[in-house]
Amino acid sequence: MKVSSSAALSAAFAALALSVAPVQAQDLPKTQLKVVGSISSLAPYKDFEVPFWTKTLNEKSKGAITAEIKGFNEMGLKGPEVLRLMSSGALEIGATVLAYLASDDPTNEAIDIAGLLTDFDTARKATDASKAMYTKLFQKFGVKLLGVGTYPAQVFYCNAEIKGLADIKGKKVRAAGRSQSELVQALGGTPVTMAFGEVVPALQNKTVDCGITGTLSGNLAKWNEVSTHLVALPVSWGQIAYAVNMKSFAKLDKRVQSLIETEVKGLEKAIWDAASYHTEQGYACNAGSDECKIGTKGKLKVTQPSAADMAMLKKIVTETMIPKWAARCSADCVADFNQTIGKTVGVVARKARPEGGAGARRCSAPWRRPTGSGCARSGPAARCCSRRRSPCRWTSSRGRSSRCLSVAGASSPNTPSPSAARGPSPSRCCAGPTCGSMRCTSSCPRRPARCSTSSRWSRWGCSSPTSRASWDVLATSWSLSAKSNSALKVPIWIPQSLWVAGLVLFLVTLLLLLTRWACCSRATGAA
């Protein structure tokens, strides 16, 4: 009898819960959401984002929440603008690839440093760990992070025999973004930037030898028809951030906020589970396996990574990829990385010391001599020592270096001695290994100029027809009233006029530099 009473009581509570839930959902205020989703042609948007915002939330709220959604590409956006538009309040809810936002803050590319996450489980754990870092970062922009999804693994497709990563050396590889380009360079290849839709003809015509994209997306885009090999080693993923403007979110009813935050977790899980499945389907379909259920069966040779490949990639990531990223990021950013992603993956990022030792510092402005230094070259690409008694070295971004005498008159292997220079002379020129390192100065020793007159004037000769051609293009666009192929329908002459103005400015600047060089050459000859 007790068992019967207990069962009846449980049934009563269950019935009460079922009767209360609809009332609570029906009590939610009518809410209309405007959402900008990720790329509309790909699976995360079509299969998950659209159903979530338009159906799942509507059903969970008993019709109280409705939403309109469009992919950012359908709105004429390219992706990097999404965070800034959410920050300004122009967008309420948005989604975009985190790595696209690297220009806003280098922290955004931390989770997708090329070569760092080489398997699905590690990528998922590292992404979960990174949420605290990105939550704090997005708050600086007035944006609240809701969740993070992902695309399938990004791998190498090649139209040449590839037995391992070492064979990328000497190949031209289509890469998307700075991090992938840096990885290709570290492997000895040449990164090439081109639109996704241009890759198939480029692979077919041997314009490029390889390309990096998703295992399944490459198959669906018919990369398998113009490629012969695929390296089954993920070098990137493409995590998607889902976020909302904080002020817009604060205006929503607390129960609506709670419902969205709860249900987004389900969206995240569904997208990550699908990414795992799509990654494996990409391998199966490109290899022509009977396990292929989504894509088209290909005949690619799927190369499995060897122990040597994994060791090579790990060395590149720790010695090249992470240090380059850390140099772009702040000290706080690097510390956050080490506490989240780094701890999960087992790597440590460090800020490199500036060249020239503890006393080195970056020069503040081009051609400006720092206090206590005898630099003949300075600027954003140079680091100058501040020690008065040591020769001053500048190192350009291209790795070339030169030395000139310090204020104290100390000589260096690359410069004449003070006696040979016969003391400083007004208007003398100090020339380094490149034309760009030459300047007129009153403290540099005399050195023979190594600049070619023909090469300087040839730049002017090549630039003038280009400017003329650009003006013709602008005039044509103006006469035809041409407009952009986007929702905004921007008149084409507006961006083209900026292009023409830039070319004209370049010509004027080049002419001034040529005039300055001529002045320097006469001064050197007179000396």
Side-chain angles (χ1 to χ4, degrees), residues 70 72-77 484-490:
K70 282 187 177 182
F72 64 72
N73 57 305
E74 293 180 305
M75 300 182 66
L77 303 176
S484 65
N485 186 22
S486 68
L488 297 177
K489 300 296 182 184
V490 177

Side-chain angles (χ1 to χ4, degrees), residues 6-31:
S6 177
L9 187 59
S10 299
F13 275 117
L16 179 62
L18 289 173
S19 64
V20 170
V23 173
Q24 290 176 335
Q26 290 172 359
D27 287 342
L28 289 177
K30 293 291 183 179
T31 305

Side-chain angles (χ1 to χ4, degrees), residues 355-356 361-363 367 375-384 392-403 432-438:
E355 297 178 20
R361 61 187 178 89
R362 187 175 291 275
C363 301
W367 309 117
C375 295
R377 164 79 173 182
S378 62
R383 291 187 175 93
C384 301
C392 182
R393 180 181 67 185
W394 65 267
T395 302
S396 73
S397 57
R398 296 181 181 178
R400 302 185 180 97
S401 62
S402 178
R403 291 173 182 263
T434 62
C435 298
S437 68
M438 188 176 68

Side-chain angles (χ1 to χ4, degrees), residues 140-482:
K140 297 178 182 178
F141 293 90
V143 175
K144 177 181 177 62
L145 181 69
L146 294 174
V148 182
T150 191
Y151 289 107
Q154 311 279 302
V155 297
F156 284 100
Y157 282 77
C158 294
N159 61 2
E161 185 176 9
I162 300 292
K163 297 179 180 179
L165 290 180
D167 292 332
I168 298 296
K169 186 175 181 179
K171 301 287 191 300
K172 291 176 289 185
V173 184
R174 182 264 182 182
R178 176 167 51 189
S179 189
Q180 286 186 8
S181 296
E182 289 176 348
L183 176 63
V184 171
Q185 287 178 323
L187 289 170
T190 302
V192 178
T193 301
M194 64 173 58
F196 184 81
E198 298 174 357
V199 179
V200 170
L203 285 168
Q204 191 172 23
N205 299 328
K206 305 291 184 178
T207 304
V208 296
D209 304 299
C210 303
I212 302 175
T213 194
T215 59
L216 186 60
S217 57
N219 178 275
L220 297 176
K222 303 186 183 303
W223 284 31
N224 59 305
E225 296 181 4
V226 292
S227 301
T228 59
H229 290 68
L230 181 149
V231 183
L233 176 59
V235 296
S236 187
W237 292 86
Q239 287 86 343
I240 310 166
Y242 298 99
V244 58
N245 176 272
M246 294 179 72
K247 291 182 179 178
S248 298
F249 195 67
K251 293 177 182 178
L252 299 178
D253 185 277
K254 296 293 184 183
R255 291 166 297 170
V256 174
Q257 295 179 14
S258 178
L259 180 62
I260 292 174
E261 289 178 316
T262 301
E263 296 302 325
V264 163
K265 295 177 182 178
L267 173 65
E268 279 185 303
K269 184 180 185 305
I271 290 177
W272 276 95
D273 290 346
S276 176
Y277 177 67
H278 288 168
T279 296
E280 296 304 321
Q281 277 291 295
Y283 291 142
C285 292
N286 285 311
S289 170
D290 291 336
E291 296 178 1
C292 176
K293 306 296 181 184
I294 301 177
T296 57
K297 290 185 179 181
K299 297 180 180 179
L300 298 188
K301 177 176 177 55
V302 178
T303 303
Q304 297 298 328
S306 64
D309 289 330
M310 300 303 294
M312 179 182 185
L313 186 59
K314 184 176 181 180
K315 182 178 181 181
I316 289 174
V317 168
T318 55
E319 296 182 3
T320 303
M321 301 301 296
I322 291 180
K324 282 188 174 182
W325 170 79
R328 296 191 291 267
C329 220
S330 66
D332 290 340
C333 158
V334 171
D336 288 340
F337 172 88
N338 289 331
Q339 289 298 317
T340 55
I341 301 170
K343 185 178 291 186
T344 304
V345 181
V347 298
V348 178
R350 294 183 177 88
K351 294 286 288 183
R353 281 189 174 186
E355 297 178 20
R361 61 187 178 89
R362 187 175 291 275
C363 301
S364 57
W367 309 117
R368 177 177 298 172
R369 180 180 306 166
T371 304
S373 171
C375 295
R377 164 79 173 182
S378 62
R383 291 187 175 93
C384 301
C385 2
S386 59
R387 297 177 181 176
R388 290 177 177 270
R389 297 184 179 179
S390 63
C392 182
R393 180 181 67 185
W394 65 267
T395 302
S396 73
S397 57
R398 296 181 181 178
R400 302 185 180 97
S401 62
S402 178
R403 291 173 182 263
C404 76
L405 298 180
S406 68
V407 171
S411 61
S412 68
N414 294 333
T415 56
S417 65
S419 58
R422 298 180 181 178
S425 175
S427 301
R428 287 186 176 178
C429 296
C430 175
T434 62
C435 298
S437 68
M438 188 176 68
R439 61 162 294 192
C440 291
T441 178
S442 60
S443 62
C444 286
R446 181 171 63 187
R447 297 185 63 186
R450 303 181 183 179
C451 302
S452 168
T453 304
S454 59
S455 67
R456 288 176 173 272
W457 286 105
S458 65
R459 296 176 193 175
W460 172 266
C462 292
S463 302
S464 299
T466 304
S467 299
R468 173 63 184 175
S470 65
W471 174 258
D472 292 340
V473 172
L474 175 59
T476 302
S477 298
W478 176 273
S479 62
L480 296 175
S481 300

